[in-house]
DNA sequence: TTGCAATTCAAACAATTGTATGAAACTATG
DNA sequence: CATAGTTTCATACAATTGTTTGAATTGCAA
């Protein structure tokens, strides 16, 4: 009859503190204080600090991946087995962005924790992170179906850029707001998502006409089809 | 007659170690060991660990900004007072990327240190970082000149996306390589730069035709001119 | 109730880290 | 040479951190 209460309290407090202040600034004593439990409880229930972090990461990672895949499947069903480019990108970056931007009270600690985890590469997480590639491959497969004539490398670059823009927007939202004097509204989450999706979709579907380096340093995209 | 030798040794070792392993994993003892100097030398020459980091950051930041501005000015001169979109973006992301990608031996510890600094937001750096916005504003001004009819917010988003793609590419080069089974060649630095410049330029200059959200969540770009 | 295992707790431990100290070594000037 | 100022060095200090320990407490079954 294990008492999961303390365990859950620790997980909640740890996730919240890590999401807010990052891994470097949060000690076990901070966590147990926030959770209202004894210091030794962490080692009793999780074995070590690293195992606590790892458990948080795998749990949240699985949930996040599932959310993305659910949206991808839905898009594939809606498209009769083949999702279109924008829908795929939307499924890839939507879930995370929705949890990280927008009004403070609507953000999820889960998403913010995952962003932290992908920023500060702390050892226990680094060891697990390899599985992410397998997850992304599913989106590459879907994208290849949506753009059968597109160069394969370009597809990977497109996914990479979509993730890059999404990721950096959650990181540097403040800088962007300051730089633009508030003209860039990062609180309108769906608009931000659409903007990033549009940008990434363009890199995948628009043929570059005037290349700066004519000797082919940047290979021309070979996509003809845009079904958004 | 101050002996700058020890000082320089510390700066070099610190920059290299921070660039390689990040701020979290490097202690003063690691630095002095690598520099071959005494532990107390750090506090003697810099006052504290934080001041050492801050000095590194401002020095390298200034150098990096100067490099970017030099390229921007050159592009403006070449364009008769007005640089074109791609040239501006090239000046913005080129210097950093050149120092962070490509063959190991050609990378600069300076660039990699700056990337680290922008990733792990350590207190002494966070305090200084605000000046970055003023620096970026110069690129916004140049871009407004290149795209007089472009919506202002779109310009900021474009710069933001360019930085995002560049930044994330230096961070996740390994993942991209693994995901693409080596099909995405991140070692061809100039090709990568061109690719990112192209992508960012597209978000600024290509009018989106089919928007996913017709009620205007993602405002249509208003740029007509592409002078690449 | 009694007994036993699971859990909680206060306290201590060991290691690490940034910083400070005071003596020693060095350098240049008188 | 002598001496004052600068720099280096070994060492110690104080604070923090993850972890461990052993006793107390709790919850439940016999």
């Amino acid at each position: 009859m294990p008492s999961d209460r303390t365990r859950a309290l620790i997980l909640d407090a740890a996730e919240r503190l890590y999401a807010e202040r990052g891994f470097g600034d949060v000690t076990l004593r901070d966590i147990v204080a926030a959770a209202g439990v004894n210091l030794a409880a962490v080692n009793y229930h999780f074995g070590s600090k690293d195992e606590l972090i790892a458990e948080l990461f795998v749990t949240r990672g699985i949930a996040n991946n599932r959310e993305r895949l659910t949206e991808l499947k839905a898009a594939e069903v809606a498209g009769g087995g083949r999702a279109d480019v924008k829908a795929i990108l939307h499924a890839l970056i939507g879930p995370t962005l929705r949890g990280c931007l927008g009004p403070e009270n609507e953000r999820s600690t889960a998403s913010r924790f995952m962003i932290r985890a992908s920023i500060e590469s702390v050892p226990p997480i680094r060891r697990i992170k390899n599985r992410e590639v397998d997850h992304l491959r599913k989106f590459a497969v879907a994208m290849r179906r949506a753009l059968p004539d597109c160069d394969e490398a370009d597809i990977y670059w497109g996914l990479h850029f979509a993730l890059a823009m999404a990721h950096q927007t959650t990181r540097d939202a403040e800088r962007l707001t300051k730089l633009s004097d508030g003209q860039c509204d990062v609180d309108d989450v769906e608009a931000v998502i659409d903007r990033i999706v549009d940008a990434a979709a363009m890199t995948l579907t628009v043929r570059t006409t005037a290349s700066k380096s004519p000797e082919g340093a940047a290979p021309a995209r070979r996509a003809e089809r845009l079904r958004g």
Side-chain angles (χ1 to χ4, degrees), chain A:
Chain A
M1 200 78 38
S3 133
D4 285 341
R5 219 181 81 88
T6 305
R7 219 184 125 85
L9 284 173
I10 293 173
L11 283 172
D12 277 4
E15 180 178 61
R16 182 166 50 80
L17 289 182
Y18 283 142
E20 285 172 3
R21 322 206 310 241
F23 294 99
D25 288 347
V26 177
T27 72
L28 283 191
R29 284 168 176 82
D30 293 333
I31 294 174
V32 298
V37 303
N38 186 269
L39 174 60
V42 174
N43 286 277
Y44 178 78
H45 285 281
F46 298 92
S48 71
K49 180 196 185 186
D50 280 6
E51 288 174 88
L52 164 61
I53 294 178
E55 168 145 348
L56 267 177
F57 184 69
V58 302
T59 305
R60 293 317 188 184
I62 289 172
N64 189 42
N65 288 350
R66 185 172 39 215
E67 219 177 326
R68 297 208 273 212
L69 285 180
T70 301
E71 195 174 330
L72 176 61
K73 297 284 180 203
E76 284 178 341
V77 169
R82 176 185 298 185
D84 69 70
V85 175
K86 289 189 179 181
I88 296 169
L89 294 170
H90 203 273
L92 182 63
I93 69 168
T96 304
L97 278 178
R98 263 188 289 272
C100 289
L101 293 179
E104 188 81 35
N105 55 344
E106 288 179 19
R107 301 184 193 173
S108 81
T109 40
S111 294
R112 292 169 57 183
F113 171 84
M114 288 305 287
I115 287 288
R116 281 284 186 194
S118 76
I119 290 170
E120 308 175 18
S121 186
V122 64
I125 289 180
R126 212 174 318 165
R127 282 192 285 271
I128 312 171
K129 223 173 176 184
N130 297 329
R131 273 174 261 177
E132 200 185 359
V133 171
D134 295 326
H135 176 248
L136 292 181
R137 247 184 255 281
K138 296 173 186 160
F139 287 83
V141 170
M143 194 62 85
R144 216 158 1 198
R145 254 200 297 267
L147 297 170
D149 300 322
C150 185
D151 197 69
E152 207 169 336
D154 291 342
I155 285 183
Y156 295 119
W157 277 108
L159 295 176
H160 169 74
F161 285 157
L163 289 169
M165 290 184 279
H167 189 267
Q168 199 73 1
T169 299
T170 68
R171 263 188 71 60
D172 278 340
E174 192 189 349
R175 184 183 73 181
L176 178 60
T177 302
K178 207 180 297 179
L179 174 66
S180 70
D181 269 325
Q183 292 183 64
C184 296
D185 181 15
V186 290
D187 282 343
D188 187 346
V189 190
E190 295 305 323
V192 172
I193 295 176
D194 284 339
R195 188 181 280 271
I196 295 175
V197 166
D198 282 355
M202 253 191 287
T203 73
L204 283 163
T205 56
V206 176
R207 183 200 303 273
T208 57
T209 51
S211 179
K212 244 183 93 79
S213 48
E215 54 274 39
R221 316 299 183 279
R222 304 210 190 80
E224 281 82 28
R225 181 185 332 210
L226 169 56
R227 322 179 350 150

